[in-house]
Amino acid sequence: MTRVPLRAPEDLAAPVGPLALLAHPLLGVLGGLAGCGRWHLDHARVHLRSTTAGAAYTLLRQRSPSLVDVLAGDGRPGWCPRHGTPVVEP
């Protein structure tokens, strides 16, 4: 079993090895670092949008709408041209 470091949304620009997960204490795992070097969102489970206050994450599969637009970090939504999936850009 390989241990993978966790990185908070506030620390997207900090150096990290080839593997890492993007995690938030309240929301859980939001995505991971792909081989292309971009932070890929778990887009089936997490939505990201930019607000004037910062990055707002929403869990898509929840029984109650209590975790909507949780502000975490200064990232912004982007798109990975290599994989064609949503990413978080620092």
Side-chain angles (χ1 to χ4, degrees):
M1 176 183 269
T2 302
R3 290 189 154 221
V4 178
L6 298 178
R7 190 67 81 207
E10 297 83 22
D11 300 329
L12 289 176
V16 67
L19 298 174
L21 291 175
L22 182 62
H24 184 270
L26 180 63
L27 301 173
V29 175
L30 303 172
L33 187 63
C36 62
R38 294 177 181 263
W39 290 100
H40 285 257
L41 282 175
D42 180 359
H43 60 274
R45 194 176 90 59
V46 178
H47 175 73
L48 169 65
R49 72 184 188 95
S50 292
T51 69
T52 55
Y57 293 87
T58 299
L59 295 182
L60 299 175
R61 295 184 181 173
Q62 51 185 335
R63 293 177 187 234
S64 66
S66 58
L67 297 176
V68 175
D69 283 351
V70 176
L71 296 174
D74 295 326
R76 63 186 190 283
W79 196 257
C80 178
R82 181 174 170 190
H83 295 107
T85 57
V87 297
V88 183
E89 296 181 350

